[in-house]
Amino acid sequence: MKIPISARGMLERTGLVLVVLGLSSQANPAAFASGPEMAKNKQAAGKPKEPDTSKVLPNGIEVRHAGMLLEVLALRDDVLRVRLSSSGELPEDASWAVPAEVRHQRVEVTPDATADTVGFHTATLSVRIDRATLRLSTTDLEGNVLQEDADGWPAEFHSDAFRVYKKMPPDEHFFGLGDKVGPLDRRGQSFRLWNTDAFCFQESTDPIYKSIPFFMTMRAGRSMGFLLDNTWSTSFDFGKNERNTYSFGAEGGPIDYYVFYGPDPKQVVETYAWLTGLPPLPPLWSLGFQQSRFSYETETRVREIASRLRADRIPSDVLYLDIDFQKEHRPFTVDTERFPHFEQMLRDLKHEDFHVVAITDLHIARVPGAGYTPYDTGIAADSFVKNPDGSLYVGTVWPGPSVFPEFTQKKTRDWWGSLYKQFLAEGLAGFWNDMNEPSVFLTDNLTMPDNVQHRIEEPGFLSRTTKHLEIHNVYGMENSRATYEGLRKLDPDLRPFVLTRATYAGGQRYAATWTGDNTSSWDHLRLTTPMLLNLGLSGFGMSGADVGGFIGTPGPALLTRWTELATFQPIDRNHTNKGSGDKEVWVHGPEQEAIRRRYIEERYRLMPYLYTVVEELSRTGLPVIRPLFLEFPHATKDLQPMDIRAGNEFLFGPDLLVAPPPFPEQPEAYALKLPPGVWYDYWTGEKIQPPATPGGSGVTEPLIQPKLDVLPVYVREGSIIPVQPLVQSTDEKPQGPLTLRVYPGKDCHGSVYLDDGKTLAYTRGEFLRIDFRCAVTASGVELHVGERRGSYLPWWKAIHLELYDWQSPAAHVTLNHKPAELPDSVDPARHVLTLDLDDDPRGSDLEIVRAN
């Protein structure tokens, strides 16, 4: 946009230098940053005249000055929305990420004003706007600065582009932006958000597949969240170009961002989920082991893989069909020569408890007159993207010349969703939306031209036509949205499973995701953890990385290590590229297979714990795998996030800490960093006491000697972990009791959640939830098993207790305040007491006393 004359004059008088951001979609993100001279000029800026007007609003403030308009609104006491315009008029209030009912939330504020500032405060936050410069600062009510504009004017504009600068204290750390490569902490790095088919990406590759313009900060144990709701090519710089400044900008679109406060980091994550939406509860089978390849090219090969998984008793739930199951790579078709009994194959695999997920890329083959239904019906409905002259845009992808659905139209999404009817009827269980950046072959920019036109015809938006530059980053999300909503419409009571590669903020409402075309290398194994952790913080708690690496062939140790790690990730999918060697669990011989099988079996034993954590994700947005600071924000003496010194450690749910070697290919011993408190070795039950150093941080640092068959896992004190008997798939009913592994300690509690794992019946009360509590007493342990909530009946009839740190050869037990003779035993080497009792729907209270 053009800067108004009055504003231009203001900028000239203040000595502000305008940075040319560049309007090409392929602009270098470094061009967005201001250099040292810019910083100098900003600091030297003189004061312009006072603002023309400020208007107190019931839920915020509006300030106009020299043609500029700044609006700050309080959606909640802890959530602010900031909009800034250089034209004096705010753009259309519409969003692909934040629903209207959330954007229009409001809370009353108390106005504040001084000789130099205007602003307001809520019950949580204080907002100050400098009268002379429009600089914005936000603090909590104790005066702790959460975010503050850098010195000078609050934003720089050049034509349609902008950049905003914020002060960056030396002890502030940044997390988020989805699965960008590199360290967990974004400080010192810069990134561009432009969805890209990043085949064979490496540690320095940017951009890659997703654009999630959300980050959270940690400083002195306090956390803040930030969401820039702008779909254009955006960039973020966390002190790479200016040491004490972070900045963000875009090539077009609005300055429209949200600031929200914790101070607990969990609260920030939950607030981000409130803003952009919660992920749906996935089907239980999607948490099982998944086997894939580009491609299992024939029906015979698919059946062989299924038979080998069952013959070798490798628990598994999912098989994938990549593009070679299709006729000439055309989406929504089946090659009947390679798959002559497709529907029968699906029935047979279902009988063996396999769920089949098929790829459905969004490029539709341009084959007029060929009887190809997706093309014919899409043309009839005018559902494809067009060139500026109104002709059909055609790009080359897997099927050859292809056309692309206009997902910015509701009617097109409805049409796309209807294409799944036949596949659902034939028995496919889930769908995989790949190549949806969108990826286009034989082009310089790997995608559509910048000037391709998109017609927005969407509830909540003005009907208009815009360039691809505005829609590119949301195109993949709207593709997965069309798939998800179509499946819901076709079978309203069935939980869809959709896997997407490209997405935008809020895309977690429709699909799970994975990290794309990674490489079979030790470096990529190490990259997996920070990528998944930042995805989880950014809304995508259901995510995974191709086990073994997509590109290339892993050696025995690499595939084994990767299989072990994926056991403790939300999605556990083994996948590989065409031309790569086999990566199934049994490759490299029986010794390696045995180790890998053991870890996959442990995942299935932990399924009650994992499903309970996933259900929490669907209610709160808290991810399945978590950085340590999410559970332990005050773990270190200097209040810095302990993750930045803890290698690739992470939490699997709230209670299990996974500690792979920081460099997994190296044989040298390494030191763990266990957060303060007592921890237990998951495999041996050994109790690990924190150091007794006076004035120390309380962080425990045991030395670990790497072993190929052992991935170190630890349980925090006070955990109660539900475990089930081993099954070969999630469709198999466990035979035996529910096991509760009780690790006594502070705030001892746990829970288990259960439902049918397939339908939406849980929303009608057909679920089971049981809470557990324990307390250490002078003579033993008291355990409370809560009453059942919900109408769903459990598969177990009895409960098997494993009580750790039991320092006695025997036990006396009272059940519901009466002496009880329950089957029990003690393992003196592991200090574990086991105890069996019948399950009681009303709950149970046990007192377990040490016997001499």
Side-chain angles (χ1 to χ4, degrees), residues 586-597:
W586 49 81
V587 301
H588 305 127
E591 182 179 351
Q592 299 294 331
E593 180 182 9
I595 299 172
R596 298 164 190 165
R597 181 195 299 110

Side-chain angles (χ1 to χ4, degrees), residues 374-435:
Y375 178 79
D376 295 341
T377 57
I379 286 290
D382 191 22
S383 292
F384 298 122
V385 173
K386 297 182 178 180
N387 292 308
D389 63 2
S391 63
L392 208 61
Y393 169 70
V394 180
T396 300
V397 206
W398 294 116
S402 302
V403 291
F404 298 81
E406 189 68 278
F407 291 116
T408 52
Q409 296 179 319
K410 184 181 183 303
K411 68 172 186 177
T412 298
R413 295 199 304 273
D414 291 343
W415 160 79
W416 173 267
S418 71
L419 297 177
Y420 289 93
K421 183 177 182 179
Q422 183 65 29
F423 274 171
L424 270 186
E426 290 174 339
L428 285 170
F431 299 95
W432 174 17
N433 294 156
D434 200 359
M435 307 291 290

Side-chain angles (χ1 to χ4, degrees), residues 60-91:
I61 193 167
E62 176 186 283
V63 183
R64 293 182 179 272
H65 178 54
M68 306 284 287
L69 172 59
L70 173 64
E71 180 187 77
V72 184
L73 303 178
L75 278 60
R76 298 187 331 200
D77 287 325
D78 58 347
V79 181
L80 304 175
R81 184 184 185 189
V82 180
R83 304 174 78 192
L84 175 65
S85 169
S86 65
S87 70
E89 298 294 331
L90 294 176

Side-chain angles (χ1 to χ4, degrees), residues 205-286:
T205 304
D206 187 68
I208 55 174
Y209 304 96
K210 302 170 186 66
S211 295
I212 307 178
F214 160 80
F215 66 84
M216 62 188 297
T217 68
M218 280 292 292
R219 183 188 180 206
R222 293 183 298 273
S223 187
M224 180 205 74
F226 177 96
L227 169 66
L228 172 63
D229 193 2
N230 182 302
T231 64
W232 293 67
S233 176
T234 58
S235 69
F236 291 79
D237 185 299
F238 299 104
K240 184 174 183 178
N241 285 282
E242 287 193 50
R243 183 176 180 182
N244 299 316
T245 303
Y246 72 88
S247 63
F248 56 89
E251 296 177 6
I255 299 180
D256 186 355
Y257 64 89
Y258 298 83
V259 176
F260 37 103
Y261 190 37
D264 185 90
K266 280 188 177 180
Q267 181 61 43
V268 170
V269 172
E270 293 186 51
T271 300
Y272 177 71
W274 176 79
L275 279 170
T276 62
L278 291 162
L281 183 62
L284 177 61
W285 56 260
S286 67

